[in-house]
C-alpha cells in the first residue's frame, strides 16, 4: 500500500496542477479525476482501518510478523486526503462545464 500511496500522491499533484493551470481540461479528465480521488480516499480509509492504534483492526496473528509500524506510518496522510478533497472540489465546481461537455460528446 505504501507504493500505491506514493503513486497516487504523485498523480494527485500532477492532476491538481493540470486542472489549476488549465481548468478547461477538467471536463475531459473528469473520469480520471474521479477515479484518482476515489482511490485516494480508499487508501486513506485503509490506513485508518489498519492503524496499529486500533487493536481490533490488527491483522491475524500469522500475518503480524510480516507487518511493521513502517507499513502503517504515513506522515503525509492529512495532505494526501486534503489533496484528494481539493481535486474533488475542483471537479464539483466545474460540474456545469463537465455536464455540457459530455452532453455535446454524446450528441455527436
Amino acid at each position: 500500500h505504501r507504493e500505491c500511496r506514493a503513486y497516487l500522491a504523485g498523480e494527485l499533484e500532477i492532476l491538481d496542477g493540470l486542472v489549476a493551470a488549465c481548468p478547461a481540461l477538467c471536463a475531459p479528465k473528469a473520469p480520471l479525476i474521479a477515479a484518482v480521488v476515489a482511490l485516494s480516499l480508499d487508501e486513506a480509509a485503509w490506513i485508518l482501518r489498519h492503524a496499529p492504534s486500533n487493536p481490533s483492526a490488527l491483522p491475524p496473528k500469522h500475518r503480524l510478523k510480516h507487518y511493521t509500524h513502517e507499513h502503517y506510518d504515513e506522515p503525509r496522510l492529512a495532505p494526501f486526503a486534503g489533496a484528494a478533497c481539493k481535486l474533488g472540489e475542483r471537479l464539483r465546481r466545474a460540474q456545469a462545464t463537465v455536464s455540457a461537455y459530455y452532453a455535446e460528446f454524446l450528441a455527436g
Side-chain angles (χ1 to χ4, degrees):
H1 282 269
R2 283 184 288 175
E3 294 83 12
C4 183
R5 285 193 300 272
Y7 175 76
L8 285 173
E11 287 299 312
L12 280 169
E13 290 174 14
I14 291 170
L15 280 173
D16 189 42
L18 183 68
V19 172
C22 190
L25 288 177
C26 198
K29 297 287 184 189
L32 179 66
I33 292 171
V36 169
V37 168
L39 285 172
S40 299
L41 295 178
D42 285 344
E43 279 298 315
W46 185 90
I47 292 169
L48 295 174
R49 276 195 312 270
H50 293 87
S53 62
N54 183 2
S56 65
L58 289 174
K61 187 175 181 179
H62 70 280
R63 288 177 48 196
L64 280 175
K65 62 183 176 184
H66 300 292
Y67 292 103
T68 62
H69 287 287
E70 289 83 33
H71 283 89
Y72 302 110
D73 187 26
E74 182 57 47
R76 298 184 336 172
L77 178 62
F80 184 72
C85 290
K86 184 169 67 169
L87 195 56
E89 183 59 34
R90 285 188 198 268
L91 188 61
R92 272 187 231 102
R93 274 190 258 133
Q95 184 176 3
T97 306
V98 173
S99 297
Y101 174 83
Y102 283 105
E104 184 179 335
F105 177 76
L106 291 174

